[in-house]
Amino acid sequence: MAGVSPLPAGVAERPRGPKSFDLFSAVAELRWRLLVNSLRTIRGRLELVSRVFVGFSVTMLALGGAVFLVPLSYLATAQDHPDYLAIALWIIFAFWQLYPVLGSLASVPFEFATLLRFPMTFSTYWWLAFFYGLIEPVCLVSLLWLGAMLLGIGVASPALLPGAALALLGFAILNLLLSRAVYLWLERWLAQRKTREVLGLVFLFLIVGIQFITPVAMRLERHRAGARVSLTSIANIATFFPPGLASFSLQQFHAGDILPGLYACAALGAYSALLAMLLNRRLRAQFLGENLSEAAAPVVVRGGEKVREGWDLRGLSGPIAAIFEKETRYLLRSGPVLFMFVMPIVILVLFRLNPAASGASRGFLSHLSDWAFPVGCAYALLMLTNIVYNSFGGDGSGLQFFLIAPVPMRDVLLAKNISHTTVLAINIALVYIATSFLYSPPRADILLITLAALLFAFPLNLAAGNLMSVYSPKRHDLATFGRQRASAATGFVGMFVQIFVVGVSALVIFGAYHFGQVWLAGVAFLPLAAGTFLVYWIILNKSARAALDRREVLVAEICRVSADATASGRAS
Amino acid sequence: MSAPAIATENLTRRFGQLLAVDHVNLSVAPGQFFGFLGPNGAGKSTTIKMLTGLLAPSEGRITILGTDLVADPVTVKRQIGVVPEGLALFGRLTGSEYLNFVGRMYGLDRKTAAQRAAELLDFMQLSDRPKALVTDYSHGMQKKLAMAAAVIHGPKILFLDEPFEGVDAIASGTLKAMLQRMIAHGATIFLTSHVLEIVERLCSHVAIIHQGRLVAQGSIDELRSGVEARVAGVGAGDGDAGARPHEKLTLEQIFLEIVGGARLTGQELTWLA
């Protein structure tokens, strides 16, 4: 064949893998082609603009941090306060380790193990994984900051430079290994649905736990002696963590105690060795071809399984009841959605823990017992907009079924809205119980105004939500935390609707205050509610027509399965 | 002669400048097992999407069992079952919940939907893991579930887009038996497949679409006669069909002759072992 020369004699008998450098450059070129090819779509171009913006921000952050760290390290060393360097080391540690974790939860990561189909040795694969971590922006920024610290220390005390370089190098290697190990283990857990969901739940509970730190700390503040003891214990424990060890090492070198400083560096080395082993274990499992399939194993068929009948919902037609049941099952099986529903209660508990809520101080929080119910309800409504504004997002390929089923799209949207309304009603009941338990039962006038305001606000949100679900759909895995953002258009419209609702509500309530009859606001909301319900009804029909007109866009967006997701078996 | 089960008149679909389906006139009689064939990118999936209401035609008319699909989609959809390309499954329901849901969406009462769901799960050998979510099913199991969902309401016409792709031999046998049983009871089946052996074994009639245009339509014997006549016309030994004079042409040979793919087999990759 023209252009293809025959292989030299002997080559066929002795096949060789490519050189490591060729593999590194091939991977770099692959990433570059992925980026270039992504620019073919508007979404890809917008993504690039956003990346450029983020890249610029990260560069500014990196340079700003470096400019700040040089004099800080200089002053800490020159003024005999090397212990202050611990703060910088802890910040760098947190940034280096947490940023990639948040990043991998917020985006679909590159499937590193897909490279294994190519001929490479384990050592090449290991170093590829290591160097891949080295060129991550977060690593480059952190290395720049550590370099800035070394510069500041070196200028302040040139004699300290070798020791500081050793401690900071050990710290950097440890961080690099840790971030790679964390990334690859996360990748492993995120590859399977069940572990992914558990991880997401843990992550969200962690975030909620963090919310409780401030109120708990404020409560501890009342018992200052106890707090001081706790802080000392925390400081002692912190010494055994990598930033604490690096800081301890720097302090010892600064004090001229070389041996303890070297011991601390050795401890960093031991940590690194341990992490290298963990990384090795993960990479070895990948290299040997682990099976992360979640498909059911063949089982002996028992047969004759009795299938339970669908829910009996009087007053709803068969298809609407079926969609209602399906929606409810979906919501109940979604960790993030359930989490969203308990968030209003969490907020009420958080406010309750605040010492100001007990009436010790003046201002908003001292009136919490009055505001708790409306605030909880408003929060519940806001949380629900995440689903209402993208109501087809969680259907995945099932969306096609709505298009082939003999059910008008209007009924599909209506059924979804009925389930959303039910969820809101249940959530409001929970907020009422929580308010009564944590504070006191809401006053009759506040109860009336809040419920009437919801009757006004919710149909408007449903109407806008139906339109945005059709005009700006976005695939959304209801079981996965993070990793998915609503479309910018949806966010903008949602914000506009909330501003309108808050504006009108404020006018109505202040008007009622002006006349000295607060309960009048509740009455005034009722005609407004009738108006928004009419708007909802009109838009429901329009949205249904638009859904059919735009079925290709809906299917393309919602039923889309990315190549990455398919490769990792994440398609649902 | 009775009205066709499926008929299209000048069915056309454009995607921007691309003419994916170009004035296609299809006619499928009731009770036919109809295979819709074509090379990759020929317009098969686009056509089946238009026939099932998943995609709007740019031009032309679709009539299913005498009803215009665009004018009265709900009536048409009640009478058809579909296994689309993406399977249209709800991943976070169990198999039985999904079938129950589908049954009720097609107007079955709760009891009937549950009964048929149980029978179908049993028939498709999917009843062993009642609590497993559809998202955790293997691809073959998902395909069987999609097939079960497509027939739960007893449709008169079944549209299947690549029904045997990714399905093992045992499941494939089960599906074929079910489809032949439906044909025996008077249903019409319209399927697309790349596996020509299966189409040849199951279908009585086929149509071939190539570059968006319908290039052949009829019974397999009619197509075979047409190709044989053409090959004979060109001259013995010059044709691409490759069958000996006393052998019947296979559907694959007919297909390759019609779409012109046979010529490519002459190419060789000399460096390949």
Side-chain angles (χ1 to χ4, degrees):
Chain A
M1 198 174 155
V4 181
S5 54
L7 290 171
V11 170
E13 289 78 37
R14 201 158 44 84
R16 269 189 215 157
K19 289 177 187 166
S20 299
F21 177 77
D22 294 339
L23 282 168
F24 291 144
S25 64
V27 171
E29 195 181 333
L30 165 75
R31 298 310 310 265
W32 172 249
R33 289 310 317 169
L34 287 175
L35 176 72
V36 171
N37 291 345
S38 74
L39 300 180
R40 292 179 187 185
T41 61
I42 293 174
R43 181 196 290 266
R45 281 175 224 148
L46 286 173
E47 192 70 28
L48 181 69
V49 170
S50 121
R51 278 188 193 189
V52 168
F53 182 74
V54 171
F56 179 74
S57 312
V58 170
T59 308
M60 288 296 108
L61 177 78
L63 293 176
V67 167
F68 174 73
L69 279 169
V70 174
L72 179 93
S73 308
Y74 174 84
L75 288 173
T77 311
Q79 296 183 0
D80 294 333
H81 274 297
D83 50 321
Y84 286 0
L85 295 174
I87 300 166
L89 290 170
W90 270 104
I91 291 171
I92 292 171
F93 179 73
F95 174 72
W96 203 332
Q97 303 309 324
L98 289 180
Y99 189 83
V101 172
L102 296 174
S104 64
L105 284 169
S107 63
V108 178
F110 173 67
E111 294 290 333
F112 199 72
T114 54
L115 297 175
L116 277 170
R117 80 184 81 153
F118 304 111
M120 64 172 79
T121 60
F122 178 64
S123 61
T124 304
Y125 185 60
W126 204 100
W127 285 110
L128 206 58
F130 185 80
F131 282 115
Y132 208 78
L134 201 60
I135 56 163
E136 287 287 323
V138 67
C139 177
L140 295 175
V141 170
S142 305
L143 286 176
L144 179 72
W145 288 349
L146 288 177
M149 283 181 72
L150 188 63
L151 182 67
I153 294 168
V155 171
S157 170
L160 194 56
L161 199 58
L166 183 68
L168 293 180
L169 181 68
F171 182 65
I173 291 173
L174 180 145
N175 269 290
L176 185 56
L177 286 167
L178 180 61
S179 68
R180 292 317 289 159
V182 166
Y183 176 82
L184 287 170
W185 279 99
L186 263 182
E187 192 185 52
R188 157 74 183 81
W189 291 322
L190 291 173
Q192 286 181 307
R193 183 182 65 80
K194 282 173 189 159
T195 45
R196 188 163 66 240
E197 288 177 21
V198 170
L199 195 70
L201 258 179
V202 170
F203 182 70
L204 269 194
F205 278 116
L206 204 69
I207 286 180
V208 172
I210 289 168
Q211 308 297 317
F212 281 91
I213 289 175
T214 311
V216 169
M218 285 171 80
R219 293 213 160 223
L220 269 177
E221 187 72 11
R222 290 178 174 178
H223 313 282
R224 281 173 187 276
R228 218 169 286 134
V229 171
S230 305
L231 285 173
T232 312
S233 321
I234 290 169
N236 287 335
I237 294 166
T239 313
F240 294 99
F241 283 88
L245 281 171
S247 165
F248 178 77
S249 174
L250 288 173
Q251 287 174 52
Q252 296 306 311
F253 287 138
H254 184 265
D257 297 332
I258 306 296
L259 209 55
L262 286 176
Y263 284 151
C265 286
L268 283 174
Y271 267 132
S272 298
L274 186 72
L275 290 167
M277 274 167 60
L278 278 175
L279 185 62
N280 202 57
R281 193 175 153 189
R282 183 87 290 277
L283 289 171
R284 174 72 68 181
Q286 284 188 343
F287 190 75
L288 294 176
E290 65 189 342
N291 177 21
L292 298 178
S293 167
E294 292 167 286
V299 188
V300 177
V301 179
R302 281 175 291 170
E305 193 68 42
K306 188 165 167 31
V307 172
R308 212 177 282 169
E309 288 177 16
W311 293 354
D312 183 13
L313 301 168
R314 302 283 157 89
L316 296 182
S317 70
I320 291 184
I323 298 171
F324 180 89
E325 181 181 341
K326 174 252 155 194
E327 289 292 314
T328 310
R329 287 192 190 282
Y330 254 54
L331 297 180
L332 288 174
R333 284 177 187 155
S334 164
V337 171
L338 289 177
F339 191 83
M340 253 164 32
F341 296 154
V342 297
M343 273 311 282
I345 315 293
V346 172
I347 291 292
L348 292 177
V349 174
L350 269 174
F351 280 153
R352 188 70 189 86
L353 279 175
N354 194 309
S358 60
S361 68
R362 291 171 187 279
F364 169 74
L365 289 173
S366 62
H367 295 289
L368 259 184
S369 55
D370 288 346
W371 284 100
F373 184 67
V375 166
C377 289
Y379 201 75
L381 174 65
L382 270 181
M383 289 278 110
L384 197 60
T385 55
N386 283 310
I387 304 169
V388 170
Y389 278 69
N390 189 21
S391 55
F392 293 115
D395 287 330
S397 76
L399 169 77
Q400 285 184 314
F401 180 74
F402 289 134
L403 296 169
I404 56 179
V407 177
M409 217 40 173
R410 183 184 172 282
D411 287 5
V412 175
L413 282 168
L414 183 64
K416 281 177 175 275
N417 291 162
I418 291 173
S419 74
H420 298 153
T421 309
T422 309
V423 166
L424 182 68
I426 293 170
N427 221 350
I428 287 169
L430 289 175
V431 168
Y432 181 87
I433 294 166
T435 307
S436 305
F437 182 70
L438 292 167
Y439 304 90
S440 58
R443 285 190 345 234
D445 54 348
I446 287 178
L447 187 69
L448 171 73
I449 293 168
T450 309
L451 294 179
L454 281 171
L455 284 177
F456 154 68
F458 196 53
L460 207 58
N461 274 286
L462 284 178
N466 285 342
L467 278 178
M468 296 319 292
S469 298
V470 171
Y471 281 100
S472 191
K474 182 109 180 173
R475 187 181 168 93
H476 181 102
D477 183 356
L478 286 175
T480 308
F481 291 90
R483 288 173 160 261
Q484 38 206 353
R485 286 166 283 179
S487 77
T490 300
F492 180 75
V493 170
M495 192 177 70
F496 179 77
V497 171
Q498 305 325 323
I499 289 171
F500 177 77
V501 164
V502 169
V504 171
S505 303
L507 273 177
V508 170
I509 291 167
F510 284 119
Y513 262 112
H514 180 72
F515 290 109
Q517 303 289 334
V518 186
W519 60 269
L520 264 181
V523 178
F525 272 123
L526 293 178
L528 287 172
T532 55
F533 187 77
L534 188 66
V535 168
Y536 163 75
W537 204 248
I538 294 166
I539 287 184
L540 178 66
N541 293 321
K542 283 190 186 301
S543 306
R545 274 197 297 276
L548 277 181
D549 292 344
R550 294 176 53 80
R551 58 192 135 176
E552 288 162 54
V553 180
L554 276 169
V555 169
E557 180 60 42
I558 305 291
C559 306
R560 173 173 58 91
V561 179
S562 75
D564 284 345
T566 312
S568 63
R570 281 180 202 150
S572 64
Chain B
M1 192 177 158
S2 60
I6 305 163
T8 67
E9 281 173 44
N10 293 320
L11 186 64
T12 303
R13 176 67 210 198
R14 289 185 194 85
F15 294 105
Q17 297 294 313
L18 177 75
L19 193 57
V21 175
D22 185 4
H23 295 88
V24 165
N25 293 301
L26 264 176
S27 181
V28 181
Q32 274 184 2
F33 205 136
F34 194 89
F36 193 53
L37 314 175
N40 291 331
K44 294 188 302 293
S45 287
T46 305
T47 306
I48 206 168
K49 278 179 187 163
M50 288 193 282
L51 293 176
T52 54
L54 277 169
L55 196 64
S58 306
E59 224 179 280
R61 187 160 180 252
I62 300 167
T63 314
I64 307 284
L65 295 166
T67 308
D68 188 307
L69 175 65
V70 177
D72 192 356
V74 173
T75 303
V76 169
K77 288 174 183 178
R78 251 187 224 123
Q79 302 180 79
I80 65 172
V82 185
V83 177
E85 202 177 13
L87 301 183
L89 299 171
F90 287 103
R92 296 190 74 80
L93 295 180
T94 65
S96 59
E97 285 167 0
Y98 177 67
L99 290 182
N100 240 327
F101 164 76
V102 172
R104 295 178 75 194
M105 289 290 280
Y106 277 102
L108 301 181
D109 62 74
R110 290 168 49 239
K111 196 177 167 189
T112 312
Q115 256 171 12
R116 290 192 187 177
E119 282 176 39
L120 282 165
L121 286 172
D122 204 23
F123 181 80
M124 297 287 187
Q125 303 183 333
L126 291 170
S127 52
D128 56 299
R129 293 179 79 217
K131 297 232 188 294
L133 296 183
V134 173
T135 194
D136 294 335
Y137 278 19
S138 68
H139 180 69
M141 290 167 77
Q142 290 189 347
K143 205 126 211 184
K144 287 197 282 185
L145 186 68
M147 186 74 90
V151 299
I152 195 167
H153 58 296
K156 290 179 183 159
I157 303 178
L158 191 57
F159 289 94
L160 310 168
D161 198 351
E162 294 288 352
F164 302 107
E165 198 182 47
V167 179
D168 64 41
I170 302 167
S172 180
T174 309
L175 297 181
K176 282 180 212 162
M178 189 188 78
L179 297 178
Q180 274 163 340
R181 190 183 156 85
M182 285 181 71
I183 287 288
H185 284 78
T188 308
I189 298 175
F190 184 99
L191 73 82
T192 72
S193 178
H194 283 111
V195 190
L196 298 180
E197 290 84 0
I198 292 178
V199 176
E200 188 166 16
R201 219 174 310 141
L202 291 175
C203 298
S204 56
H205 291 72
V206 293
I208 298 174
I209 187 169
H210 185 42
Q211 294 175 341
R213 290 187 175 193
L214 202 63
V215 289
Q217 182 175 199
S219 70
I220 295 181
D221 285 338
E222 283 168 358
L223 261 59
R224 185 177 290 125
S225 308
V227 168
E228 280 170 352
R230 204 164 79 185
V231 170
V234 171
D238 292 348
D240 296 319
R244 290 174 192 154
H246 59 279
E247 280 179 358
K248 277 205 318 187
L249 290 175
T250 63
L251 181 60
E252 185 179 344
Q253 289 165 330
I254 298 169
F255 177 81
L256 290 174
E257 186 59 34
I258 290 173
V259 302
R263 277 187 294 276
L264 297 175
T265 55
Q267 287 184 348
E268 276 184 48
L269 301 170
T270 51
W271 47 269
L272 201 60

